[in-house]
Amino acid sequence: MTNLGLIITAVALSCLLCFNFGPHNRKLCEASHGRKMKLAKHPPRGWNSYDSFSWIITEEEFLENAKIVSQKLLRHGYQYVVVDYLWYRRKVEGSYTNSLGFDVIDEWGRVIPDPERWPSSRGGKGFSEVAKKVHAMGLKFGIHVMRGISTQAVNDNTPILDTTKGVAFEESERQWRARDIGLTERKCAWMSQGFMSVDTKLNAGRAFLRSLYQQYAEWGVDFVKNDCVFGDDLDLDEIRLVSEVLKELDRPIVYSLSPGTSVTPAMAEDVSDLVNMYRITGDDWDKWEHVEAHFNVSRNFAAANMIGTKGLQGKSWPDLDMLPLGWLSDPGSNEGPHRKGSLSLDEQRTQMTLWSMAKSPLMLGGDLRTLDDFTYNLVTDPVLLEINTYSRHNKEFPYITERRDVKGRSKITKRNLVGPNKVAASDRHSLHLHTCKDQEANGWVVEVLDQESERLCWKNNFGIKYKPPFCLYKRRFITKLDKEIIYKSRYEGKLHLAKDGKNFCLDASHNRKPTSPKSNRISFSQCKWDVNQMWELSLNGTLANSYSGLCAMVKRVKSKVEPGGGVRSWIATGRRGEIYVAFFNLNPEKVVISAEISDLAKALPGQNVSTVSCNHKEVWSGKAYGVANQAISASVKMHGSALFVLDCS
């Protein structure tokens, strides 16, 4: 047989072999034969256990929800079922989100499922049996993981697995252990007793992370949600290494980052090509103010052209977080689903519409065992899913008119917000974390007060006459104790900064998991030897935090907090040439929202809509309006939305 014949025969055999594996395993087989499938070609869609079960979900409860996804939602593109955090924590008295000593780890310091809640994991099987059952349903299996290494593994000083040899990792004629790689000064800020970063500069640290993700692949994991490595808790070294390891694996695994408090498009550019989805807000819960907070951030990422950019072996997507629809639990609770979500039906439509127009991943959070008809019809609405999957040119559409009755009189407001809202002059400063690459972060200067004291001041006073500058005071190290001498040596060249010289220091991260998309400001907390409170001033005037590597910036905010409200709109084009326009009413009363047909061309260059007639219909009412010659308009309820489909062909 010729060489060409051998090649053709080999390819044919490999294809036949893969065909006999069934749909899911066939894809894996094809990947292993060199035909790597593209990851996250469209925004991923599925279900996550966090909103409904917090951390206490059992194997039985998880598989019950997975079965419903398979039976009712898979045909609508919902394919991932994800176990959220602390699946390795024993649910016993004294165990909670930030407790210490209740985690189950293997001999190599890697967390493994709690056998009481996940009985099929006994005998070293991990999640492999659960993954098999999920795959048999036609679904893909995902897990939540934390940054670095567990505190429990460091305390136990477990050896590190060398996956290339199957034995303990050795280098420089010694065996390396957990205490050698764990960075105790880089603990996860909101789970300080649970996890810390590993030193990725060490081969032993890299070996440990590699052993984690190889184990996940062996279990049959298809999706990993990596927590406490992004936003305020940025650990770019770990993200880069994990991305590198995932590329090496035969098994394709979608890589997700969470949460995203304080994330900006500039920060996201550093990770977008390393991952497949990344959170751009804190945790979203069933509160209207949480939904409302997503409008600005989603607008900014769309304007920065971050939707569907190049990602890890495929594409990456800004993630607005899970959809808290249906029966829920509470953040950090030790109780499963026990209450109905508090968003009104109109607010749920608004949330689902924004998530779809912004092309966010759609991860349902409620307990699917109590899935009602309204929620089912909402999350499977064919127009929304079409928009979420295939639409293009998605962006905020600013050319809209708002009309409402004010004390019996009609009031019309024309909006023309080409860019983000500009903040008016203010009399209050606010500290925020930001990427150090931004020139706006170069704003700190040193002022010498006397021979023993200095302060750092933000040089930009926003042009406000007689306004004193915002300053932080260098806190002196007291080295009377041996422990303090050690810390001073470790943090040589770093700054401990206090406000007004008191014992409350600038702290770059939250001490609990962020539960609000708005909680993105730096805080002051009791001064301690913590890397979150260590800062480094560069010659160019940036003030970088030693925990995340992000820089502190001073922004001005309004002295009075104005109530939420106003109207918003988004626009996108469909794969058949249709135009989608969504109106959102953030006001506490009903308003009429309108848009001129001629203005659509301003947002969609190249679309010939100003000289043609557009047939249009509204999705939620089901009403066909016919030809819109001049404008489209809808009366929209409080916190509600209207979604138009226009055919201008």
Side-chain angles (χ1 to χ4, degrees):
M1 185 178 293
T2 65
N3 290 338
L4 178 61
L6 288 171
I7 294 172
I8 293 173
T9 301
V11 171
L13 287 173
S14 69
C15 291
L16 180 61
L17 176 67
C18 292
F19 183 82
N20 290 330
F21 277 157
H24 177 79
N25 289 327
R26 181 162 65 248
K27 289 181 180 179
L28 299 181
C29 176
E30 288 173 351
S32 69
H33 282 79
R35 295 197 296 277
K36 288 277 186 183
M37 58 189 240
K38 273 198 170 185
L39 293 178
K41 183 179 180 182
H42 306 294
R45 207 175 288 170
W47 177 81
N48 180 290
S49 64
Y50 178 60
D51 286 353
S52 46
F53 290 92
S54 186
W55 64 275
I56 65 168
I57 192 168
T58 65
E59 181 173 335
E60 181 181 10
E61 292 166 334
F62 179 78
L63 290 174
E64 287 173 349
N65 274 273
K67 185 177 181 180
I68 295 167
V69 175
S70 177
Q71 293 175 342
K72 296 185 176 182
L73 299 173
L74 177 59
R75 61 181 175 268
H76 300 286
Y78 292 87
Q79 60 177 333
Y80 293 96
V81 285
V82 183
V83 184
D84 213 271
Y85 74 153
L86 302 184
W87 36 266
Y88 37 81
R89 187 153 296 173
R90 295 185 178 91
K91 188 177 182 294
V92 295
E93 186 177 353
S95 178
Y96 60 98
T97 301
N98 196 25
S99 57
L100 176 62
F102 297 97
D103 294 346
V104 184
I105 60 176
D106 68 8
E107 61 181 308
W108 307 109
R110 302 175 297 185
V111 291
I112 55 177
D114 169 24
E116 295 301 316
R117 290 191 289 135
W118 303 90
S120 71
S121 69
R122 291 189 173 98
K125 294 181 179 179
F127 272 128
S128 58
E129 295 300 314
V130 172
K132 287 178 184 177
K133 292 178 181 178
V134 167
H135 294 156
M137 298 179 194
L139 303 175
K140 296 184 178 181
F141 177 61
I143 60 173
H144 172 289
V145 300
M146 292 293 297
R147 78 186 306 159
I149 189 170
S150 73
T151 304
Q152 197 160 317
V154 173
N155 289 345
D156 292 349
N157 204 23
T158 55
I160 296 163
L161 175 63
D162 184 339
T163 56
T164 62
K165 300 178 180 178
V167 296
F169 183 85
E170 293 186 357
E171 188 179 59
S172 302
E173 299 182 348
R174 74 180 183 94
Q175 187 183 100
W176 290 70
R177 291 180 171 266
R179 288 179 191 166
D180 299 320
I181 64 171
L183 299 175
T184 56
E185 70 274 17
R186 286 184 57 84
K187 297 175 182 176
C188 176
W190 59 268
M191 198 188 286
S192 57
Q193 298 197 87
F195 290 84
M196 65 186 73
S197 292
V198 300
D199 191 342
T200 57
K201 295 180 178 63
L202 296 174
N203 288 330
R206 298 172 68 85
F208 177 77
L209 288 177
R210 184 168 284 105
S211 74
L212 290 182
Y213 287 86
Q214 288 190 0
Q215 177 169 257
Y216 303 151
E218 291 167 3
W219 285 347
V221 170
D222 307 292
F223 181 106
V224 169
K225 176 181 174 182
N226 197 5
D227 207 331
C228 207
V229 294
F230 195 44
D232 287 346
D233 304 297
L234 182 66
D235 192 334
L236 197 52
D237 289 337
E238 178 164 331
I239 294 170
R240 285 195 181 110
L241 180 56
V242 171
S243 183
E244 177 185 311
V245 171
L246 292 177
K247 283 182 182 178
E248 296 170 355
L249 299 175
D250 287 336
R251 184 177 198 84
I253 296 178
V254 168
Y255 188 24
S256 169
L257 303 182
S258 172
T261 314
S262 301
V263 170
T264 62
M267 186 193 304
E269 286 179 359
D270 290 334
V271 304
S272 60
D273 62 340
L274 303 173
V275 303
N276 301 111
M277 49 189 277
Y278 51 92
R279 281 269 296 283
I280 57 175
T281 69
D283 288 356
D284 175 71
W285 281 93
D286 54 325
K287 298 179 180 179
W288 170 247
E289 57 265 30
H290 284 199
V291 177
E292 187 179 27
H294 288 72
F295 279 88
N296 282 353
V297 68
S298 58
R299 171 202 62 200
N300 295 345
F301 275 80
N305 297 315
M306 296 298 291
I307 297 176
T309 58
K310 179 180 178 294
L312 171 64
Q313 295 179 314
K315 292 187 177 182
S316 67
W317 306 92
D319 177 16
L320 294 178
D321 200 15
M322 292 166 288
L323 293 157
L325 308 175
W327 281 86
L328 309 173
S329 182
D330 293 298
S333 174
N334 280 18
E335 185 179 3
H338 62 276
R339 63 178 182 85
K340 191 175 182 180
S342 61
L343 293 177
S344 70
L345 301 186
D346 288 310
E347 290 169 345
Q348 292 177 51
R349 281 199 187 103
T350 292
Q351 183 171 38
M352 186 69 184
T353 304
L354 177 63
W355 264 236
S356 297
M357 291 294 288
K359 294 184 72 90
S360 169
L362 301 178
M363 292 290 178
L364 306 181
D367 185 357
L368 298 179
R369 298 174 302 177
T370 57
L371 183 66
D372 59 73
D373 290 341
F374 175 85
T375 305
Y376 173 77
N377 291 331
L378 178 63
V379 303
T380 61
D381 183 89
V383 177
L384 289 181
L385 297 185
E386 174 75 16
I387 294 170
N388 183 253
T389 305
Y390 297 111
S391 62
R392 298 185 302 151
H393 308 117
N394 306 65
K395 67 187 75 172
E396 187 174 76
F397 178 67
Y399 311 103
I400 53 176
T401 300
E402 166 188 4
R403 188 177 78 246
R404 50 182 163 171
D405 288 333
V406 180
K407 296 181 179 180
R409 294 181 300 173
S410 180
K411 180 181 179 181
I412 300 177
T413 304
K414 180 83 172 183
R415 290 175 63 84
N416 189 0
L417 304 177
V418 177
N421 294 330
K422 292 185 178 181
V423 180
S426 167
D427 60 0
R428 188 160 65 88
H429 294 117
S430 176
L431 275 163
H432 291 254
L433 285 174
H434 205 65
T435 175
C436 298
K437 293 181 180 179
D438 196 321
Q439 289 296 318
E440 293 182 4
N442 306 348
W444 295 95
V445 294
V446 176
E447 290 188 2
V448 179
L449 301 177
D450 52 48
Q451 290 184 346
E452 294 187 349
S453 60
E454 295 178 341
R455 68 178 186 176
L456 268 63
C457 295
W458 184 254
K459 65 183 180 183
N460 189 341
N461 208 32
F462 307 116
I464 303 173
K465 196 173 183 180
Y466 306 125
K467 177 72 178 176
F470 180 89
C471 296
L472 299 165
Y473 295 81
K474 289 186 179 181
R475 191 167 178 266
R476 296 178 62 193
F477 286 91
I478 302 172
T479 57
K480 294 180 180 179
L481 302 176
D482 290 341
K483 183 178 180 181
E484 292 177 345
I485 294 174
I486 294 173
Y487 278 118
K488 182 181 180 182
S489 174
R490 181 179 298 175
Y491 296 126
E492 194 69 42
K494 302 296 176 71
L495 303 175
H496 220 184
L497 300 171
K499 193 174 183 180
D500 301 327
K502 297 181 180 178
N503 290 323
F504 284 86
C505 289
L506 187 63
D507 199 323
S509 193
H510 305 275
N511 57 9
R512 58 182 176 82
K513 192 171 186 181
T515 58
S516 169
K518 291 184 178 180
S519 59
N520 62 349
R521 294 176 186 165
I522 304 172
S523 61
F524 288 87
S525 58
Q526 192 75 39
C527 294
K528 55 193 175 188
W529 298 108
D530 196 319
V531 73
N532 298 337
Q533 295 184 356
M534 296 298 161
W535 302 83
E536 186 170 3
L537 181 67
S538 299
L539 294 175
N540 64 358
T542 57
L543 184 62
N545 179 250
S546 299
Y547 173 71
S548 65
L550 300 175
C551 281
M553 286 179 59
V554 179
K555 297 183 179 180
R556 58 182 181 178
V557 294
K558 295 181 179 180
S559 58
K560 293 183 179 179
V561 179
E562 296 183 357
V567 294
R568 296 292 182 91
S569 179
W570 273 65
I571 194 169
T573 58
R575 55 178 168 166
R576 302 176 188 90
E578 68 272 30
I579 298 174
Y580 302 104
V581 180
F583 292 157
F584 301 100
N585 177 20
L586 312 188
N587 294 296
E589 69 273 336
K590 183 168 67 174
V591 301
V592 176
I593 307 174
S594 304
E596 301 289 334
I597 293 295
S598 59
D599 284 336
L600 299 182
K602 295 179 181 179
L604 301 172
Q607 294 282 331
N608 185 23
V609 295
S610 58
T611 59
V612 299
S613 298
C614 298
N615 281 298
H616 69 301
K617 62 181 180 180
E618 200 281 314
V619 172
W620 301 128
S621 65
K623 183 176 179 180
Y625 285 84
V627 176
N629 292 316
Q630 293 183 331
I632 56 174
S633 182
S635 177
V636 186
K637 295 180 181 179
M638 159 187 162
H639 299 170
S641 60
L643 177 59
F644 290 98
V645 183
L646 289 83
D647 180 1
C648 301
S649 59

